């Protein structure tokens, strides 16, 4: 319900497959959205949402690995909620592990740092991946108590992000009722 939000929702990675669907669902619920993406391409979103809903959308082109860009989009737009989806996926992380770490680890760190310095209440859901677990080649789902790890740069970056999130919650947000953070670990997603 749009009445439950004091300000817009920031969606990082808004141009991606999952990000486009999240933005579309928020807009359909009449919730103002600030979409943050490295590309100005809204092609996916335009397939999912009617043009009249786009008036509740602010599209910001920026790099999640750039500390200033992330801080600026959060503080300048009165953000009250964040859904952090920006990520480089497996093939990109294998081709360029440094770029993968910048986006998946430093990008998450930039969100956490911006929340730490924020002067207003904010809820954040930071999405990592079920690939953050040490791969034991099991045939059932992993649990939150399973060991983090990774056999490839993507998995390692997502495990690192999970460790960072947990350390920030313990160090800075444990007794802070104004900033509430949750993580979710996405599996493979096909379609909306």
């Amino acid at each position: 319900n749009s009445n439950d939000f004091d300000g817009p929702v920031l969606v990082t990675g808004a141009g991606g497959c999952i990000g486009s669907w999240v933005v579309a669902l928020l807009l359909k619920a009449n919730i103002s959205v600030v979409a943050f993406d490295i590309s100005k391409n809204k092609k996916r979103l335009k397939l999912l949402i009617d043009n009249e809903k786009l008036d509740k959308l602010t599209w910001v082109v920026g790099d999640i690995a750039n500390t200033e860009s992330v801080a600026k989009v959060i503080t300048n737009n009165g953000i009250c909620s964040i859904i952090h989806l920006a990520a480089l996926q497996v093939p990109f992380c294998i081709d360029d592990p440094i770029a993968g770490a910048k986006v998946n680890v430093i990008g998450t760190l930039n969100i956490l740092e911006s929340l730490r310095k924020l002067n207003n209440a904010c809820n954040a859901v930071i999405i990592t991946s079920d690939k953050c677990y040490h791969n034991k080649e099991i045939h059932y789902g992993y649990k939150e108590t399973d060991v983090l790890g990774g056999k490839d740069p993507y998995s390692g970056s997502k495990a690192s992000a999970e460790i960072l999130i947990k350390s920030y919650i313990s160090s800075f947000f444990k007794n802070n009722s104004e900033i509430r953070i949750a993580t979710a670990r996405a599996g493979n997603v096909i379609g909306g």
Side-chain angles (χ1 to χ4, degrees):
N1 185 334
S2 61
N3 296 330
D4 295 335
F5 295 89
D6 294 331
V9 176
L10 173 67
V11 178
T12 68
C17 179
I18 298 171
S20 294
W21 280 95
V22 169
V23 170
L25 291 170
L26 290 169
L27 291 174
K28 284 182 181 183
N30 291 318
I31 296 168
S32 294
V33 176
V34 174
F36 187 80
D37 200 88
I38 197 147
S39 170
K40 60 182 173 185
N41 186 346
K42 302 177 209 164
K43 182 179 169 183
R44 282 188 182 112
L45 187 58
K46 287 180 179 178
L47 296 171
L48 301 173
I49 196 86
D50 298 328
N51 280 339
E52 69 267 6
K53 292 289 186 182
L54 294 176
D55 64 335
K56 288 201 163 269
L57 175 68
T58 302
W59 193 275
V60 178
V61 175
D63 183 354
I64 197 71
N66 182 294
T67 305
E68 260 183 48
S69 294
V70 174
K72 186 176 176 182
V73 75
I74 291 173
T75 57
N76 290 357
N77 290 285
I79 300 299
C80 71
S81 297
I82 298 170
I83 302 173
H84 176 48
L85 292 160
L88 281 184
Q89 301 304 319
V90 176
F92 300 105
C93 291
I94 289 173
D95 289 345
D96 190 346
I98 292 173
K102 284 180 180 176
V103 171
N104 297 348
V105 181
I106 301 302
T108 300
L109 181 61
N110 286 336
I111 294 288
L112 293 166
E113 267 298 290
S114 294
L115 285 168
R116 187 171 74 88
K117 296 174 181 175
L118 199 59
N119 292 322
N120 57 278
C122 190
N123 301 310
V125 179
I126 302 174
I127 313 296
T128 64
S129 170
D130 64 346
K131 309 300 180 278
C132 69
Y133 298 107
H134 173 70
N135 189 346
K136 297 186 282 186
E137 303 296 337
I138 56 177
H139 297 288
Y140 55 87
Y142 291 95
K143 301 181 299 276
E144 285 188 38
T145 55
D146 285 336
V147 175
L148 296 175
K151 293 183 179 179
D152 61 82
Y154 174 78
S155 300
S157 71
K158 290 302 187 173
S160 298
E162 285 285 345
I163 292 166
L164 271 174
I165 297 162
K166 187 174 182 177
S167 70
Y168 264 70
I169 291 170
S170 296
S171 298
F172 304 114
F173 304 121
K174 193 173 190 174
N175 298 315
N176 183 341
S177 62
E178 295 290 303
I179 305 294
R180 291 169 299 280
I181 299 173
T183 63
R185 296 168 183 167
N188 293 334
V189 178
I190 301 171

